[in-house]
Structure formats: structure tokens, C-alpha cells
């Protein structure tokens, strides 16, 4: 116990509190059981540790533990929780829960038996708690931490500290919003940097090795995180790499399952399942046609990489400007909690109401003629006019 407490104190000692993401302020920390899920590299551990440091410091009432600690290879989490509580502990911050066997059942039991003990846990975005334990999913309040929006990148880079805007306000008042913002900074000066290295918070540490670290993140997701999915064949890791590379070199990709199965030598049904896992791991975003129901057994109509930084990391020689624009738009909208579908006309259909066409500042509106609530998200312009909205402005949604 004391050795783990020492480790807990060490990790928060030098933790920076300079920038705390908005997501931390959106979490209701009064709940007894909180789950923070997200892809590797998005800052889940930092967010949790900042809460611990800000509210408890080195108090013995709170403690940070990680489930990949060697201690938990031969000790039960439930036994540790009991001991922690008996010594005056009130809140446990548990990292990487998916690396602990039967974690869902044990956390449910801790929650049920020790009503004066709070738990905050982090885990991979591939986790489906309802499939792990339906009772736990009803008890846990879950939040997802995505990568940085363009707005957050500007804040992390000390360029601008701007308030997030809603899609409703953006569509209604984008001209005024853009002009208010560009009085303080030049968005296009920094937009290209964000597309290349601004999504994962660790860009602050070293831009020169940033894409190498993304490659490592991808490798760890495929070689480690996917192994925690029931039914995943660990011998297919190399084939999943191959599948992801095929997608990366062809995005936006319209899946031909038969050809993918032939190239990767993976069964057709398993291919569809693996596409679902890659989306759960936040490596790809899938797009389905408007009006069509979606399930794990259906192939998507279109596939993008989850963020633009992945394009530069995985296929730097194959980065297309049009693909960058569409990938950025979809990433910002989906991470902002908006529903995005594939329309009959245009590029994206958002919240079953708004149709968007993506392009450069000279993009004509003729493709959207006759479509109500239609807009052009245009690159290479600071401020828009009418239904033409600067593409970068959609990075202010989150």
C-alpha cells in the first residue's frame, strides 16, 4: 500500500496545472463512479491526475493507481480498495482499467459494498462497458475524452484562448463570430500546423518526434488494446495493420469488403467487425448513408482516418488537401457530439438537418442548389459570407 502511495505522490508532484481542458469542467465529480474513456494519447491520465492534485494534493483520502502496475498481477483490486478505505481513503483514481482481468465485476462490487468510497477510472475507448457488465454500465457515469480541437490547440500553444461555440450559433452568426475571433489572431497562420501536429496533447513535448509517437500509439492500440476485445484474434494484429494502411492510403475510402478480404486474407464478416473495432479505437471514422440504420454487422458507406494528424503520420507522401479538409470537418463535428451522415447530395449531413459541402474558398454553391439548410465549409478564408463558412471555424465547436 505505501509503495503504491509513494508512486501516486510522485506522479502528481511535477504535474503541470497550467492548462486544464474544458472536459474536466464538464464532469460532475460528485458522482460516486465516473468513467473517462478515450483513445491513447488524448490525455485521460493527465486530466484525472489534475483533478486529484487540485482537490486533494497529497492527502491520504485520495490515491492514484494504475492497473498495469506489477502489484495487481498478484493482488485483487477489491482487496486493495478495502484496505485503502480502512485507512481513511475516500476516492480512488484508477488508470487503465481494461488491463485488469474482470475489472468491471470488481469495480461494480466495490461500488455496491463500499458506499462511502468514490471511484474515477480511465480506460480505452474500445471498451463497451455494457458488454462487460450491464449492471456497471448503469452505475457508471461515462465521459469520452477526444483529441484536441483546433480551439484547444490554440490554447495549448498560447496563441489564443477562445470560448467554444455551438453549431447552432455558428451557422446563425458565423460572420460576426469569425470577425470577433480574428481580431486577436490569424487563424490560417496556425490552421495548417494543427492539421499536421495539433490533435494529440503530447505535441507540446517535441514536435520533431511527434509523428513517430503517433506511429507508436497506433502500434500499441493494435498490438495491446485490441487484445482486450472478446473474440479478437491476436494473430490478426499484422493483418489489422495492413487493413489500416489500405484505408490510410485510400481515404476517403468506400469499402469493398470482398477486395479487402482478398488483400488481407481475412474473412469478409471479420473484416466488417475489425472496421468497427478500428472506429472504437478512434483510428477511423465511418460514415453511413442518411436514413440507414447502423450496426456492427453493416459495412460503412465511407471511411476516413479519425484525425488529420494520422494522415501525416501513416502516409505522409499521400496527403491530399481535399481529404485533409473532409477529415478535419468530420473529426471536429463527431468529437463535438454531432451526428454526421452521408447525404445524397453534398459531403456531410449533420443532425438530420444541415447539408455541408467541403472545399476551397472558390467552391461554387451549385451542388447545393435547392437544398434547404445547406452550407459550404470553405478553406483558405478568414471570414465567410452568406452560407459560406470558413472551414477553420468548425474547430471552435469543442
Amino acid at each position: 500500500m505505501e509503495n503504491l502511495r509513494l508512486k501516486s505522490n510522485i506522479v502528481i508532484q511535477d504535474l503541470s496545472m497550467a492548462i486544464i481542458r474544458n472536459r474536466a469542467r464538464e464532469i460532475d465529480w460528485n458522482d460516486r463512479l465516473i468513467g473517462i474513456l478515450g483513445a491513447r494519447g488524448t490525455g485521460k491520465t493527465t486530466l484525472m491526475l489534475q483533478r486529484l492534485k487540485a482537490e486533494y494534493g497529497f492527502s491520504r483520502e485520495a490515491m492514484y493507481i494504475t492497473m498495469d502496475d506489477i502489484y495487481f498481477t498478484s493482488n485483487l483490486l477489491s482487496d486493495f480498495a478495502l484496505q485503502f478505505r480502512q485507512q481513511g481513503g475516500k476516492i480512488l483514481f484508477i488508470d487503465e482499467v481494461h488491463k485488469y482481468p474482470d475489472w468491471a465485476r470488481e469495480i461494480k462490487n466495490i461500488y455496491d459494498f463500499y458506499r462511502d468510497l468514490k471511484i474515477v477510472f480511465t480506460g480505452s475507448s474500445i471498451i463497451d462497458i455494457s458488454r462487460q457488465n450491464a449492471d456497471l454500465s448503469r452505475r457508471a457515469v461515462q465521459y469520452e475524452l477526444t483529441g484536441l480541437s483546433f480551439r484547444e490547440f490554440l490554447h495549448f500553444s498560447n496563441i489564443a484562448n477562445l470560448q467554444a461555440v455551438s453549431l447552432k450559433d455558428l451557422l446563425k452568426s458565423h460572420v460576426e463570430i469569425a470577425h470577433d475571433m480574428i481580431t486577436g489572431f490569424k487563424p490560417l497562420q496556425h490552421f495548417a500546423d494543427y492539421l499536421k501536429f495539433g490533435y494529440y496533447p503530447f505535441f507540446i513535448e517535441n514536435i520533431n518526434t511527434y509523428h513517430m509517437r503517433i506511429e507508436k500509439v497506433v502500434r500499441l492500440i493494435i498490438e495491446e488494446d485490441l487484445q482486450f476485445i472478446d473474440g479478437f484474434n491476436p494473430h490478426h494484429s499484422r493483418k489489422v495493420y495492413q487493413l489500416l494502411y489500405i484505408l490510410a492510403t485510400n481515404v476517403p475510402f468506400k469499402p469493398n469488403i470482398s477486395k479487402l478480404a482478398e488483400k488481407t486474407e481475412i474473412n469478409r464478416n471479420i473484416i466488417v467487425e475489425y472496421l468497427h473495432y478500428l472506429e472504437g479505437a478512434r483510428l477511423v471514422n465511418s460514415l453511413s448513408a442518411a436514413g440507414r440504420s447502423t450496426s456492427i454487422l453493416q459495412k460503412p458507406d465511407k471511411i476516413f482516418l479519425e484525425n488529420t494528424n494520422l494522415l501525416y503520420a501513416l502516409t505522409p507522401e499521400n496527403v491530399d488537401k481535399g481529404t485533409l479538409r473532409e477529415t478535419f470537418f468530420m473529426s471536429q463535428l463527431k468529437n463535438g457530439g454531432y451526428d454526421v451522415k452521408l447525404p445524397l447530395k453534398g459531403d456531410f449531413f449533420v443532425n438530420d438537418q444541415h447539408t455541408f459541402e467541403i472545399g476551397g474558398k472558390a467552391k461554387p454553391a451549385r451542388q447545393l442548389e435547392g437544398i434547404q439548410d445547406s452550407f459550404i465549409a470553405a478553406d483558405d478564408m478568414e471570414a465567410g459570407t452568406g452560407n459560406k463558412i470558413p472551414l477553420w471555424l468548425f474547430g471552435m465547436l469543442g
Side-chain angles (χ1 to χ4, degrees), residues 36 58 75 139 176 247 250 283 302 350 363 384:
I36 303 170
F58 297 106
N75 292 275
R139 290 161 170 77
E176 294 82 1
L247 298 177
N250 291 279
L283 291 177
K302 216 170 185 181
V350 179
K363 183 81 173 181

Side-chain angles (χ1 to χ4, degrees), residues 27 29-30 35 42 108 111 116 126 165 167 224 250 266 281 283 350 367 381:
I27 294 173
W29 298 100
N30 293 311
T42 53
K108 173 193 170 294
Y111 176 91
D116 57 347
I126 64 170
V165 298
L167 181 62
E224 294 187 14
N250 291 279
I266 302 175
L283 291 177
V350 179
Q367 290 170 280
M381 59 190 305

Side-chain angles (χ1 to χ4, degrees), residues 210-280:
Y210 178 75
H211 292 124
M212 292 173 59
R213 287 192 64 178
I214 291 180
E215 288 184 69
K216 183 179 180 181
V217 164
V218 171
R219 185 168 65 251
L220 289 173
I221 288 172
I222 294 174
E223 293 181 356
E224 294 187 14
D225 292 358
L226 292 183
Q227 316 303 318
F228 296 100
I229 297 176
D230 289 338
F232 180 79
N233 185 344
H235 298 296
H236 279 180
S237 292
R238 187 171 182 82
K239 293 181 182 295
V240 174
Y241 270 124
Q242 185 182 5
L243 175 61
L244 181 62
Y245 184 76
I246 291 171
L247 298 177
T249 52
N250 291 279
V251 287
F253 186 79
K254 296 181 179 180
N256 183 316
I257 300 302
S258 296
K259 288 186 177 179
L260 283 175
E262 184 180 335
K263 286 183 178 180
T264 59
E265 298 180 345
I266 302 175
N267 178 276
R268 283 172 50 94
N269 291 336
I270 295 177
I271 283 279
V272 175
E273 200 170 320
Y274 284 1
L275 290 175
H276 177 78
Y277 293 156
L278 288 174
E279 183 164 27

Side-chain angles (χ1 to χ4, degrees), residues 356-374:
F356 292 91
E357 184 79 17
I358 317 299
K361 62 182 178 181
K363 183 81 173 181
R366 58 177 175 269
Q367 290 170 280
L368 298 176
E369 287 180 2
I371 302 176
Q372 288 188 331
D373 289 317
S374 59

